[in-house]
Amino acid sequence: MTALPEFAPAEADSLPLHVFSPDDLPDWLAGPGAGWAGWLGAAGFKAALGEVQLLPGTDGLAGAVIGTGTAQARARGRFGLAKAVAALPPGDWHLSGALTEAAAKEAVLGWLLASYRFDSYRPGKPAPALPRLKLPDGLDGETLLAMAAGEFLTRDLINTPANDMGPEQLQAAFFALAEAHGATASAIVGDDLLAQNFPMIHAVGRASPRAPRLLDMRWGSEGPPLTLVGKGVCFDTGGLDLKPSAGMLLMKKDMGGAATVMGLALMIMRLGLPLRLRVLVPAVENSVSGASMRPRDILTSRKGLTVEVNNTDAEGRLILADALAYASEDADATIISMATLTGSARVAVGPDLAPYFTDDPDMATAIAAGAATGFDPVWRLPFWDAYEPMIEPGIADLDNAPSGGFAGSITAALFLRRFVATPRYAHFDIYGHIPADLPARPKGGAGQGARALLYALPEMLGL
């Protein structure tokens, strides 16, 4: 796993990183920063969002300045202060300036997340030394570090190529996570899925030489029950409805739901939240062989509902259906599913937002508040009952890929809801990938919704 960041010790000598908005900069230059007014003027420093300039001293470096930009710039770009991680030399630093608690928290979280480097496949290129930040007074450092650790795990899992992250390797990572935090884990593998009534997980994964499996983790003995279900399609060719080559380039990320619930589980266990946690991950590879499921096959699910397979590339909802039915056998649990499920979600909200669905208004309120607190944007979409007929093909109970192309994220969510027996359910249709480098979010695998949920759990579960 990528090395986790750490805070500089409180007693360490550190350099100041002065934080200014464009409006505040003139007052500082006329007062404490007067000695650098000419230097910063010559450098053209305007305190734009994430703009960094080093400050010379009489015997070396005296510190640095960074801009927060205008309110409009901050609204259009998250984690701007995280640019300091790449711009500052190694050493220990502390924030200096009039930051609100929320702004300081975003700055620290962004700093931690910007420390991520995925260098597993470049052993001859050592990771560069990075600057460390002191934790500002009043912030919860343990929660910030837990969120960074969970995100690093998620990114590592998604970024690992499919030849090294098949169902067996995902199981190994799952078991290692459980062992590290005193949880118990088990797996149902291959034809045992049929024997134990998980027919759709088996049907999706049976074409691959890498056996499908259902991973199950339990942690905690007291408190309300919470079950996280993550889609673990380790690679998706599309099956017999084969994707074009361009459509496969990002398909190592199709286990992003599994990676994200594992990252959230790490946060929960590391912080010792008082709940009973269960994590279910159906882990498969959607491959092509003589054993592949076919278009227009009809599968019988764990719940007993029949499903007509009208597109073998809509496989994620099939494996989640069996896992959600299994999760619902614990009638008291709050259930949350996360999956890289539909391209329609990206058309609707783009790669930066994670749409979610729930019928529970209290869950929706808690998630919205958690998203703001965790700097983790999400957007609620409806379980729109009027679209239910679209997922009913007539020949079977359900259709896994309704024709027409409209409301694809909603119809997929409605499909999943058919397998859940509790109203305390939320589904996240995430992207799991950053298309281009952004502050604190390097190009590649990314978690979405986990921090929002972490902050939502106390209200959601009454902790």
Side-chain angles (χ1 to χ4, degrees):
M1 180 177 175
T2 299
L4 296 175
E6 58 183 18
F7 293 120
E11 66 277 7
D13 291 334
S14 57
L15 291 170
L17 177 61
H18 302 284
V19 182
F20 301 109
S21 70
D23 292 337
D24 295 333
L25 179 60
D27 289 341
W28 186 76
L29 291 177
W36 291 292
W39 172 264
L40 293 176
F45 181 77
K46 303 294 184 184
L49 181 61
E51 183 185 6
V52 176
Q53 182 63 49
L54 299 178
L55 299 176
T58 56
D59 57 354
L61 192 62
V65 290
I66 187 169
T68 64
T70 63
Q72 181 186 48
R74 292 191 295 275
R76 296 176 64 172
R78 295 189 288 136
F79 296 121
L81 299 190
K83 292 182 179 181
V85 175
L88 296 178
D92 293 337
W93 296 80
H94 64 270
L95 297 176
S96 175
L99 288 173
T100 65
E101 181 179 341
K105 179 180 174 183
E106 182 187 20
V108 174
L109 177 61
W111 187 296
L112 296 174
L113 296 180
S115 301
Y116 178 83
R117 301 289 187 276
F118 186 69
D119 292 323
S120 300
Y121 292 87
R122 294 186 295 178
K125 186 176 181 180
L130 298 175
R132 293 192 305 179
L133 184 66
K134 283 186 176 180
L135 178 68
D137 292 340
L139 295 187
D140 181 355
E142 290 303 314
T143 296
L144 291 166
L145 288 171
M147 289 191 294
E151 176 66 12
F152 279 27
L153 172 63
T154 296
R155 292 177 182 179
D156 277 354
L157 292 171
I158 296 173
N159 285 332
T160 302
N163 59 312
D164 289 332
M165 188 52 66
E168 184 176 359
Q169 290 90 349
L170 185 58
Q171 176 181 324
F174 190 89
F175 279 31
L177 175 63
E179 182 178 6
H181 294 278
T184 60
S186 60
I188 304 170
V189 181
D191 288 345
D192 286 346
L193 290 165
L194 293 176
Q196 299 190 45
N197 193 25
F198 297 99
M200 294 207 296
I201 298 174
H202 184 272
V204 172
R206 70 192 184 201
S208 172
R210 304 198 284 185
R213 60 205 66 209
L214 177 64
L215 311 178
D216 191 345
M217 181 193 304
R218 294 177 184 266
W219 174 87
S221 58
E222 297 181 355
L226 171 69
T227 300
L228 307 177
V229 182
K231 173 186 169 184
V233 177
C234 295
F235 192 81
D236 182 17
T237 66
L240 291 179
D241 289 308
L242 195 68
K243 293 178 184 290
S245 59
M248 289 192 213
L249 289 178
L250 285 179
M251 282 302 99
K252 70 175 185 178
K253 79 171 184 67
D254 212 20
M255 39 65 70
T260 302
V261 299
M262 289 170 66
L264 176 55
L266 186 155
M267 299 177 201
I268 290 169
M269 294 186 292
R270 178 167 171 155
L271 293 171
L273 297 189
L275 54 83
R276 288 177 285 143
L277 175 65
R278 189 181 192 190
V279 184
L280 293 172
V281 169
V284 303
E285 182 175 46
N286 188 22
S287 295
V288 177
S289 76
S292 295
M293 63 180 178
R294 296 161 290 266
R296 297 296 171 92
D297 278 358
I298 294 179
L299 309 177
T300 301
S301 67
R302 179 180 183 84
K303 190 174 180 178
L305 295 173
T306 55
V307 179
E308 184 176 26
V309 179
N310 281 307
N311 192 322
T312 63
D313 196 20
E315 81 299 329
R317 66 202 70 183
L318 300 177
I319 65 172
L320 286 171
D322 273 356
L324 287 168
Y326 190 37
S328 293
E329 292 166 20
D330 180 356
D332 297 328
T334 296
I335 300 173
I336 297 168
S337 59
M338 307 190 85
T340 52
L341 203 62
T342 70
S344 297
R346 306 289 73 74
V347 173
V349 298
D352 208 33
L353 284 168
Y356 73 97
F357 302 79
T358 183
D359 287 322
D360 188 311
D362 294 334
M363 289 182 74
T365 298
I367 291 169
T373 306
F375 309 101
D376 191 10
V378 299
W379 195 265
R380 188 182 182 188
L381 291 180
F383 278 126
W384 192 246
D385 291 338
Y387 293 162
E388 286 277 3
M390 295 170 65
I391 60 172
E392 296 169 349
I395 192 172
D397 293 318
L398 294 170
D399 180 344
N400 82 319
S403 61
F406 288 131
S409 182
I410 296 175
T411 55
L414 290 172
F415 181 96
L416 296 181
R417 190 178 66 169
R418 292 288 188 98
F419 295 88
V420 180
T422 173
R424 296 188 57 76
Y425 170 58
H427 163 62
F428 285 73
D429 192 338
I430 68 173
Y431 189 47
H433 179 76
I434 302 296
D437 286 333
L438 294 168
R441 291 157 293 158
K443 180 180 179 180
Q448 291 181 296
R451 295 193 305 273
L453 285 166
L454 181 71
Y455 280 110
L457 290 176
E459 181 180 347
M460 188 187 300
L461 301 178
L463 302 181

